[in-house]
């Protein structure tokens, strides 16, 4: 009996210790996984709202409004200034009503002065004095997360620079976001976990909580706040959601908040005590039972525990396809069920995150393409044309390599459009665009300026070479006869040409000369080319 009891009791003690360590590690790992999941969701929430603010900073009403205010800044036309500010304020309020997570929007000019706001008293008073390279592309946090008594919710303010069409800083736009809307995600994530979640500010005060009794009036004591920040592992303390809790704190890198996840210490302790009592009963039974029972218990407990340990190691290494068959009904079986539930939740969340990320990337690619191209012809639009002209002007001033701008107009397009209809008119525009793309080099650019007007930028080209290219385009379009409803349509073009000059400052300088040359071509009888530099 002694020879049998000694190794059996030793094996039982070893199994007990392994169970205790496994439960502790499982709680810590579950808390860490939950905190990491919350952090990813918080980053995604911030990214979605930052993307919306970034899109708003590039909207025409904001850019054109700031440009107008800058143009009238030195004049005494106060009526025009007030009218522009009123239009921008109405636009900001309409946008705010459409965005559920935005509480207010405020626009600043380049002197850091508020020019328009959806609120009578804006939360953000002024943008930063200096913009870093990172903040120019991703914005910056103007007001860190905190409880806002005015809105009766937790808020965070993000500010984003506003650039003109020629990439000059002309102002900034600030948005105060309702962090309280993130609580729905906390509650949704909590369904897959047995713990409670709280979002704390930098002083340890509660901003959001998944537990019903945890609100902005709750806070950790200074000693508890210092203690929980000191350790990277889970610790026991007087919790927010439970009288005695096991918790783990995780500091977010992108948003200055601390994510606190807690589990009920008494529930975990009860499981541990239950395991201990069963072990004592097991030891008492071992006094009567012989070696066979000891061998059986060693095989039936240690082996599943090792399987769980190996499975947990696999999860840590990133393998989420692990599944353990639950054949037992004791604590090991319950732990196996919990492990399988945890892996299922992790797989589902991972799939959701990857699907959302892929959808966001596709949407961004589509938005980027739509923002620079014309929907009918597929050519660059007017906004992209201004950007290309600005770049070509800068390159011309650096390297003294001239380029030419062609302004093209379809002769008598309105008459053709009225006679044959808009469908025929659209097909004519598509035909002209196709000829333009075939007639220029890969280093040149073609754009639809508006209506039946097109523009072509011939890089590193003199006016004499541009005239030849223009004549070729005119001839090819003139030779194209389209038949619609048995009526031939003869298409002719009038083309104005100008070459870059050293006194050109903005794209409008070239466009004005090209437009004047186009006017001369029309006055000379149309279906011809006129160069402003000839």
């Amino acid at each position: 009996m002694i020879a049998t009891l000694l190794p059996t009791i030793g094996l039982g003690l070893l199994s007990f210790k392994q169970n205790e360590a496994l439960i502790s590690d499982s709680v810590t790992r579950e808390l860490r996984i939950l905190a990491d999941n919350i952090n990813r969701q918080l980053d995604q929430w911030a990214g979605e709202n930052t993307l919306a603010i970034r899109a708003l900073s590039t909207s025409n009403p904001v850019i054109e409004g700031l440009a107008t205010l800058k143009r009238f800044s030195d004049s005494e036309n106060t009526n025009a200034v007030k009218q522009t500010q009123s239009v921008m304020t109405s636009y900001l309020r309409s946008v705010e009503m459409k965005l559920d997570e935005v509480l207010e929007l405020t626009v600043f000019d380049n002197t850091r002065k508020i020019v328009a706001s959806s609120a009578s008293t804006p939360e953000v008073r002024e943008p930063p004095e200096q913009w870093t390279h990172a903040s120019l592309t991703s914005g910056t946090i103007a007001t860190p997360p905190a409880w806002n008594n005015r809105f009766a919710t937790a808020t965070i303010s993000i500010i984003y620079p506003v650039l003109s069409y020629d990439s000059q800083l002309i102002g900034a736009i600030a948005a105060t976001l309702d962090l309280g809307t993130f609580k729905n995600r906390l509650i949704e994530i909590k369904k897959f976990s047995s713990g409670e979640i709280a979002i704390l500010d930098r002083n340890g005060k509660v901003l959001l909580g998944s537990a019903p009794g945890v609100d902005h009036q709750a806070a950790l004591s200074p000693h508890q706040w210092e203690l929980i920040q000191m350790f990277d592992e889970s610790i026991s303390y007087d919790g927010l959601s439970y009288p005695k809790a096991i918790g783990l704190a995780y500091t977010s890198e992108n948003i200055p908040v601390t994510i606190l996840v807690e589990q009920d210490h008494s529930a975990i302790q009860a499981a541990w005590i239950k395991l201990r009592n069963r072990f004592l009963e097991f030891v008492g039974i071992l006094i009567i039972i012989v070696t066979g029972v000891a061998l059986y218990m060693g095989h039936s407990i240690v082996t599943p525990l090792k399987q769980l340990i190996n499975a947990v190691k696999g999860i840590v290494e990133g393998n989420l396809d692990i599944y353990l068959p639950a054949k037992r009904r004791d604590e090991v079986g319950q732990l196996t069920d919990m492990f399988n539930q945890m892996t299922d939740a992790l797989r589902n969340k991972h799939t959701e995150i990857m699907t959302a990320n892929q959808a966001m990337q596709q949407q961004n690619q589509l938005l980027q393409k739509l923002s620079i191209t014309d929907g009918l012809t597929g050519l660059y639009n007017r906004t992209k044309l201004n950007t290309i002209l600005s770049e070509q002007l800068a390159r011309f001033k650096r390297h003294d390599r001239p380029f030419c701008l062609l302004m093209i107009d379809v002769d008598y397009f309105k008459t053709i459009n009225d006679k044959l209809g808009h469908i025929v008119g659209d097909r004519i525009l598509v035909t002209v665009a196709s000829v333009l793309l075939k007639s220029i080099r890969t280093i040149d650019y073609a754009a639809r300026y508006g209506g039946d007007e097109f523009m072509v930028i011939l890089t590193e080209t003199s006016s004499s070479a541009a005239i030849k290219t223009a004549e070729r385009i005119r001839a090819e379009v003139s030779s194209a006869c389209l038949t619609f409803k048995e009526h031939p349509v003869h298409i002719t073009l009038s083309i104005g040409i100008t070459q870059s000059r050293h006194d050109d400052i903005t794209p409008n300088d070239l466009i004005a000369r090209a437009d004047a040359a186009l006017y001369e071509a029309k006055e000379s009888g149309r279906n011809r080319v006129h160069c402003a530099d000839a």
Side-chain angles (χ1 to χ4, degrees):
M1 289 292 293
I2 293 176
T4 302
L5 277 176
L6 288 178
T8 303
I9 292 176
L11 182 60
L13 288 172
L14 178 62
S15 301
F16 177 74
K17 290 295 183 182
Q18 285 182 340
N19 272 283
E20 182 182 4
L22 183 61
I23 291 175
S24 178
D25 292 342
S26 177
V27 170
T28 300
R29 188 167 290 105
E30 183 178 355
L31 292 176
R32 182 172 285 111
I33 291 173
L34 179 60
D36 186 62
N37 189 18
I38 294 296
N39 182 58
R40 287 197 302 269
Q41 292 288 332
L42 191 61
D43 288 345
Q44 182 183 359
W45 179 87
E48 292 171 354
N49 286 280
T50 302
L51 183 62
I53 300 170
R54 179 179 180 182
L56 186 59
S57 70
T58 59
S59 62
N60 289 335
V62 174
I63 295 177
E64 293 176 359
L66 287 174
T68 302
L69 292 176
K70 184 178 180 180
R71 189 165 59 251
F72 289 115
S73 60
D74 297 330
S75 66
E76 297 181 355
N77 194 346
T78 57
N79 292 331
V81 171
K82 291 181 179 179
Q83 183 178 3
T84 302
Q85 290 177 335
S86 177
V87 171
M88 292 179 68
T89 299
S90 300
Y91 174 70
L92 294 178
R93 288 174 178 172
S94 65
V95 172
E96 176 197 323
M97 293 177 63
K98 296 178 181 178
L99 300 177
D100 296 335
E101 297 173 345
V102 175
L103 296 175
E104 73 173 40
L105 294 168
T106 303
V107 175
F108 304 84
D109 60 13
N110 57 353
T111 63
R112 304 168 65 206
K113 177 184 176 182
I114 296 176
V115 296
S117 177
S118 63
S120 58
T121 306
E123 289 290 318
V124 181
R125 294 299 181 182
E126 59 183 19
E129 295 183 4
Q130 298 292 334
W131 291 91
T132 63
H133 178 72
S135 62
L136 281 174
T137 56
S138 60
T140 184
I141 296 178
T143 305
W147 181 261
N148 192 308
N149 291 324
R150 172 185 169 189
F151 295 108
T153 184
T155 62
I156 179 174
S157 296
I158 299 177
I159 193 165
Y160 209 93
V162 178
L163 304 180
S164 64
Y165 295 127
D166 54 355
S167 301
Q168 298 295 322
L169 181 64
I170 59 174
I173 184 168
T176 299
L177 306 178
D178 184 3
L179 190 59
T181 59
F182 189 72
K183 186 172 182 179
N184 294 331
R185 298 197 185 187
L186 291 184
I187 297 175
E188 186 67 24
I189 295 172
K190 180 183 174 295
K191 296 179 180 178
F192 301 95
S193 174
S194 59
E196 297 290 348
I197 310 160
I199 306 295
L200 312 178
D201 63 11
R202 62 182 61 183
N203 299 318
K205 295 183 178 180
V206 175
L207 299 174
L208 299 173
S210 62
V214 178
D215 54 20
H216 71 281
Q217 297 180 349
L220 294 173
S221 66
H223 174 70
Q224 291 175 334
W225 176 240
E226 181 180 357
L227 184 66
I228 202 168
Q229 286 185 310
M230 188 181 303
F231 296 97
D232 189 37
E233 301 293 331
S234 59
I235 61 172
S236 299
Y237 61 98
D238 295 334
L240 293 171
S241 307
Y242 308 101
K244 189 72 173 178
I246 295 179
L248 183 143
Y250 184 92
T251 302
S252 177
E253 296 180 358
N254 297 327
I255 300 179
V257 295
T258 298
I259 301 170
L260 179 64
V261 288
E262 297 180 335
Q263 284 195 1
D264 190 358
H265 182 274
S266 61
I268 299 174
Q269 187 71 13
W272 185 86
I273 293 174
K274 182 179 181 181
L275 183 63
R276 182 198 62 186
N277 293 338
R278 290 200 175 185
F279 172 72
L280 294 177
E281 295 174 359
F282 173 70
V283 172
I285 295 174
L286 285 179
I287 299 175
I288 302 173
I289 300 177
V290 290
T291 307
V293 177
L295 293 175
Y296 171 76
M297 293 302 298
H299 178 75
S300 61
I301 294 180
V302 176
T303 301
L305 287 178
K306 289 183 178 180
Q307 292 176 351
L308 276 172
I309 293 173
N310 293 332
V312 171
K313 289 181 179 179
I315 292 293
V316 173
E317 294 172 356
N319 182 13
L320 300 180
D321 295 328
I322 296 176
Y323 177 80
L324 296 178
K327 300 179 179 179
R328 301 170 57 93
R329 296 182 177 273
D330 57 3
E331 289 80 0
V332 176
Q334 295 176 7
L335 194 57
T336 303
D337 289 335
M338 292 174 60
F339 175 83
N340 290 331
Q341 293 174 10
M342 180 186 69
T343 54
D344 288 340
L346 287 174
R347 282 193 295 269
N348 293 335
K349 289 299 178 183
H350 182 265
T351 302
E352 292 176 3
I353 292 172
M354 294 303 295
T355 303
N357 185 43
Q358 183 178 4
M360 185 178 296
Q361 290 179 354
Q362 294 175 351
Q363 190 69 18
N364 288 340
Q365 292 174 356
L366 178 60
L367 290 175
Q368 184 178 8
K369 180 179 179 181
L370 292 176
S371 66
I372 64 173
T373 58
D374 175 60
L376 175 63
T377 63
L379 302 180
Y380 289 126
N381 58 20
R382 188 169 181 173
T383 301
K384 182 62 176 179
L385 174 69
N386 289 332
T387 302
I388 296 173
L389 282 174
S390 299
E391 294 173 351
Q392 292 298 319
L393 276 175
R395 186 177 292 108
F396 169 64
K397 294 182 183 298
R398 288 197 304 268
H399 305 294
D400 198 21
R401 295 179 179 176
F403 67 95
C404 289
L405 177 65
L406 280 62
M407 179 173 280
I408 304 170
D409 184 79
V410 180
D411 294 333
Y412 304 109
F413 179 77
K414 185 177 185 304
T415 302
I416 298 174
N417 207 30
D418 294 341
K419 182 179 180 181
L420 300 181
H422 293 285
I423 295 179
V424 175
D426 288 346
R427 293 184 61 182
I428 291 175
L429 296 178
V430 172
T431 301
V432 174
S434 176
V435 172
L436 292 180
L437 291 176
K438 294 177 181 178
S439 302
I440 62 176
R441 302 165 297 177
T442 56
I443 61 174
D444 300 329
Y445 305 92
R448 184 184 179 189
Y449 190 68
D452 61 325
E453 291 185 337
F454 299 85
M455 282 196 177
V456 174
I457 300 174
L458 301 177
T459 61
E460 300 185 7
T461 303
S462 63
S463 58
S464 59
I467 291 173
K468 295 179 181 179
T469 302
E471 289 289 354
R472 184 171 66 253
I473 292 173
R474 185 190 62 78
E476 291 183 6
V477 172
S478 179
S479 63
C481 291
L482 304 178
T483 301
F484 303 101
K485 298 181 180 179
E486 300 180 356
H487 294 286
V489 179
H490 188 65
I491 307 171
T492 62
L493 302 179
S494 297
I495 304 176
I497 304 174
T498 185
Q499 181 177 316
S500 58
R501 300 176 183 175
H502 288 285
D503 57 351
D504 290 331
I505 299 177
T506 65
N508 290 333
D509 296 335
L510 285 93
I511 295 174
R513 288 203 308 274
D515 188 42
L518 176 62
Y519 178 79
E520 292 295 334
K522 291 182 177 181
E523 287 295 314
S524 300
R526 303 180 186 266
N527 192 22
R528 63 191 66 242
V529 176
H530 182 82
C531 181
D533 307 301

